[in-house]
Amino acid sequence: MIEQRSVEWYIVKQGKVSASDCHKLMKGAGSRRLYMCDKAAERMSHRLTDNFPNRHIERGIALEPEAIREYERRTGNFTIDGYWVEKQTWGCTPDAFVGDDGLLSIKCPMAKNVTRIMFSKSHKDDANFLEYYWQLQCEMAATGRLWGDLALYCQEMILPEHQMYIRRIERNEEDIAALVQAIDEFNAELDAELRAIGVHWKFNTEENIRNAEPPQILDVERYLHA
């Protein structure tokens, strides 16, 4: 089991489509092309192009344990910490597993972004909601779970009862099929583009990174703490 933000996690994610970014494959050609360049750069440099700390990520990381406790208090659900779920050419790291059938995705947005999602009739009404929707569908595809709770935790709200908004997203088989097809087509095209310039890529897997050469692991550690 690979824990989120561990050295092994950064290594296994290199060059792969991840749930948090899969919406970029569903937005349109421009977004997809930019994401393909990012994944190509990761495969050629052995460096992730995202997921490194900035103020928004650091804020979310700091608040996540508190948000999970608040979710458990409000719902009575028991959660288990998430971990990397491997699908060889793509994968995900749910924030938490809920019971036998559910997932939990914690987000810590600004108040105005919370209300936009609160007022949305569906995920198609708001750009952030659309991203979260595809992330949870991808996580459900990888884990086999049937639903995911999107929990927005916002301490900017004055009243405590408004500081967490929970919206359940049900598994959608049609959307999952379209997403998995999009991922497969994306990887096939990227492989072809890289082969054309002489780059042959082999994905890291949970199994082979356990036997990764120490210099590779040390190099990632230095990069993370630079």
Side-chain angles (χ1 to χ4, degrees):
M1 222 165 39
I2 294 178
E3 295 180 1
Q4 190 174 24
R5 290 182 285 275
S6 65
V7 171
E8 292 83 3
W9 184 75
Y10 283 101
I11 294 174
V12 80
K13 280 170 57 68
Q14 289 171 2
K16 295 180 181 176
V17 174
S18 62
S20 58
D21 287 329
C22 70
H23 65 276
K24 296 175 183 177
L25 305 185
M26 313 305 287
K27 278 185 174 179
S31 174
R32 181 179 182 274
R33 188 65 182 177
L34 288 174
Y35 190 52
M36 185 171 291
C37 292
D38 287 348
K39 295 295 108 175
E42 289 182 7
R43 296 184 187 190
M44 296 173 72
S45 69
H46 291 201
R47 297 284 188 275
L48 290 182
T49 57
D50 58 9
N51 289 302
F52 291 99
N54 57 46
R55 63 188 179 89
H56 300 295
I57 291 175
E58 289 175 349
R59 178 172 177 267
I61 292 171
L63 291 175
E64 186 175 300
E66 180 180 328
I68 290 176
R69 289 195 298 271
E70 180 63 15
Y71 169 83
E72 291 180 329
R73 186 188 70 79
R74 290 186 181 223
T75 64
N77 291 332
F78 177 74
T79 67
I80 298 173
D81 290 345
Y83 49 82
W84 173 255
V85 179
E86 178 70 48
K87 301 302 287 185
Q88 190 173 11
T89 63
W90 56 281
C92 67
T93 315
D95 290 329
F97 295 92
V98 185
D100 295 327
D101 298 323
L103 297 170
L104 173 62
S105 181
I106 296 289
K107 305 295 180 185
C108 300
M110 295 183 293
K112 65 178 184 178
N113 292 329
V114 176
T115 54
R116 288 171 185 170
I117 293 175
M118 290 174 70
F119 294 166
S120 296
K121 290 184 173 61
S122 82
H123 61 277
K124 298 178 182 179
D125 296 336
D126 177 78
N128 287 334
F129 193 6
L130 186 67
E131 292 182 14
Y132 303 155
Y133 174 84
W134 283 117
Q135 179 178 346
L136 274 165
Q137 291 297 337
C138 189
E139 291 178 356
M140 285 185 269
T143 63
R145 297 283 169 135
L146 301 180
W147 54 265
D149 276 348
L150 174 62
L152 307 180
Y153 188 53
C154 180
Q155 295 176 317
E156 294 176 8
M157 302 296 193
I158 296 172
L159 297 178
E161 58 266 33
H162 296 157
Q163 290 177 355
M164 176 165 280
Y165 172 70
I166 301 169
R167 188 149 177 174
R168 179 156 295 184
I169 296 175
E170 302 288 345
R171 183 185 180 96
N172 185 308
E173 297 294 352
E174 184 176 343
D175 283 345
I176 284 175
L179 176 60
V180 172
Q181 180 178 347
I183 292 172
D184 289 343
E185 291 174 352
F186 175 88
N187 281 321
E189 183 179 337
L190 178 53
D191 287 343
E193 294 262 14
L194 288 172
R195 283 196 301 271
I197 59 172
V199 177
H200 299 276
W201 172 259
K202 182 178 179 181
F203 285 102
N204 285 320
T205 65
E206 288 191 49
E207 182 178 355
N208 66 33
I209 69 167
R210 300 297 182 189
N211 300 315
E213 292 294 325
Q216 183 184 6
I217 294 177
L218 290 172
D219 192 40
V220 173
E221 288 179 331
R222 284 195 295 270
Y223 185 52
L224 292 176
H225 296 96

